[in-house]
Amino acid sequence: MRALVVLALLLAPGLSWAGVPVQAATSATILEVETNTRAIRIIAKALDFMHEDVRGCYSFSGTSGVITTNLAANAPLFSARYDPGVPSDRAVIYYLRIAAMPLTPYTGLGNTAYPSMDAFFVRAFSVSHGGGTSPTLTVDNLKNVTAAGITGFADLRIATTAALTAGTGALFPTHPFLQTIRKGNRTTVDGGVEETITGATAGNAQGIFSVGDGEAPIVLSKQEGIVVRNRTVMPAAGTTKVDVAMRWCEVTRY
Amino acid sequence: MNKLLLTVAAALLFPAVALAGVPIQGGGSAVTAEVETNSRALRVTARPIDPAMGGARGCYAYSATSGVLAAALAANAVVFSARYDPATTTDIAIVTHLKVAFLPLTLFTAATLTDATSFDAFIGRSFSVAHTGGTAGTLTGDNLKLRTSFASTSFADIRISTTAALGGGTVTLPTHPFAQTLRKANRTNPAAATEETITDATAGNIEVNFNVGDSEYPIALADQEGIVVRNRTVWPAAGTGQIQVTMRWCEVTSY
């Protein structure tokens, strides 16, 4: 039998020991191999939301209101609770950006890392955070492609002028996975004028989980989520605005 | 074998089909891979390391901020240390991202104008004793995991300074760091005694992303290797500040 196969291969035109060409799915195009490097050509594609594994891919960007003075340490400013209808679904977080922009100068004597923030991967959510502003999660909101399904996040929200109220059951790990570090603008001691300070890009943080570069993204299961907190109590008088952007895909397996 | 025979028979009967090439079929479906018409490039979608393949223990992220580091921090003072010590000594930690930032706080009053508050990041080898002091990370349970189902990290120790340099630590550092920051601290302005204009914590920080997709090689730590961050130049008098370190990595059985 094996001899017959070998004979057939020898007789078949186009098939030889030189190699097997790879053909496209919907045309007669043959995959190219570079002459010098002998590398195959590739082109990166996003997760295919038409594939059975992918519900859709989404983007959120929200800016808080002017957060009032004396914001407490560990005050939650952004919360995202994943609660898909199919419990085995997963949310794959590719990107998170957190930034703060100080506004009214701080008159308190504190000279520390405010307004800096911490981003946590939380587990065992049972009740969402409250307060703040919650985007509309239904219909086409947040979708990157209109044909995608509606997000499985049950709640996303960002602070308006005060901290979010506590969510129930959210277990915080000891360490954040991402942090910002910056200080606010103070009134200078001798001149009473505003200290020179850089803007919201100073000390912000971007978690870009580059899967194409070998990194692993954050993978959320049902009742897990992302919470961003203020790190250090803000001194008197100063105010700030917070900006959060997040991008993710929701899948049935990953 | 029957399928192969049919393929061969088809090739014999329909030479044009055989000449066109072989499609790549999906593992979980009959879908075949697409090739772009003009560039003749194969479409690919990137996926992270797959723990189900047995090659990966898991992937992790750590981010921590020091306390307020006191004035006159010494040159070469260690402010961050991570020691990899897997139970399976052939395991490897693939470090894909490291960020080191510094936030100046109290002004430096001495007249020195140097690169004080700059830092150097090294690959440490032959760790035999972990550093001490500072704040040690909690490495057990779900801490640091990017996915709850991952195993706990095999780093034996990750720590960052509180108000002074870390102590101890028996480790061999190479001559050259693999990444450095470059910045100067904010000084008291001699003329008006007001704060000098200074850029914030993003100024001159380290943000290393090893772009494997662009053919870069990430840091691959073996057993008893690690990452050490040191202050480069002695700080002048009075000034203080905080350091922040963020690191992401995967732990694998082979790479």
Side-chain angles (χ1 to χ4, degrees), chain B residues 223-245:
Chain B
D223 182 36
Q224 304 307 337
E225 296 184 339
I227 303 294
V228 174
V229 177
R230 298 193 315 196
N231 177 51
R232 186 184 315 138
T233 307
V234 61
W235 288 7
T240 66
Q242 287 180 281
I243 188 173
Q244 185 174 81
V245 177

Side-chain angles (χ1 to χ4, degrees), chain A residues 51-232:
Chain A
H51 192 277
E52 60 184 1
D53 291 351
V54 183
R55 307 281 189 203
C57 297
Y58 312 87
S59 298
F60 167 84
S61 185
T63 302
S64 73
V66 177
I67 296 172
T68 52
T69 187
N70 292 325
L71 185 68
N74 301 328
L77 298 170
F78 170 80
S79 174
R81 177 192 176 199
Y82 185 55
D83 186 16
V86 178
S88 57
D89 279 5
R90 299 286 183 269
V92 182
I93 311 292
Y94 292 104
Y95 177 87
L96 181 74
R97 175 180 180 266
I98 49 179
M101 175 64 136
L103 296 170
T104 303
Y106 295 88
T107 56
L109 295 177
N111 185 19
T112 183
Y114 53 76
S116 296
M117 296 175 289
D118 301 326
F120 292 89
F121 178 160
V122 300
R123 297 171 173 89
F125 255 120
S126 58
V127 176
S128 302
H129 287 82
T133 302
S134 181
T136 303
L137 304 178
T138 54
V139 202
D140 288 336
N141 289 289
L142 310 183
K143 293 179 183 176
N144 285 353
V145 178
T146 306
I150 293 169
T151 178
F153 273 86
D155 189 81
L156 282 101
R157 65 183 59 234
I158 190 166
T160 47
T161 59
L164 301 178
T165 58
T168 304
L171 296 177
F172 285 77
T174 305
H175 301 286
F177 67 86
L178 191 71
Q179 297 180 298
T180 66
I181 184 165
R182 65 164 300 142
K183 61 179 179 178
N185 47 344
R186 300 171 301 154
T187 53
T188 55
V189 177
D190 61 336
V193 294
E194 186 170 342
E195 184 180 43
T196 302
I197 197 81
T198 50
T201 53
N204 70 7
Q206 290 189 98
I208 303 171
F209 300 93
S210 303
V211 176
D213 290 328
E215 279 208 89
I218 290 175
V219 181
L220 300 178
S221 298
K222 184 179 174 71
Q223 305 304 354
E224 296 182 337
I226 304 294
V227 174
V228 177
R229 299 193 312 200
N230 177 50
R231 186 183 314 137
T232 307

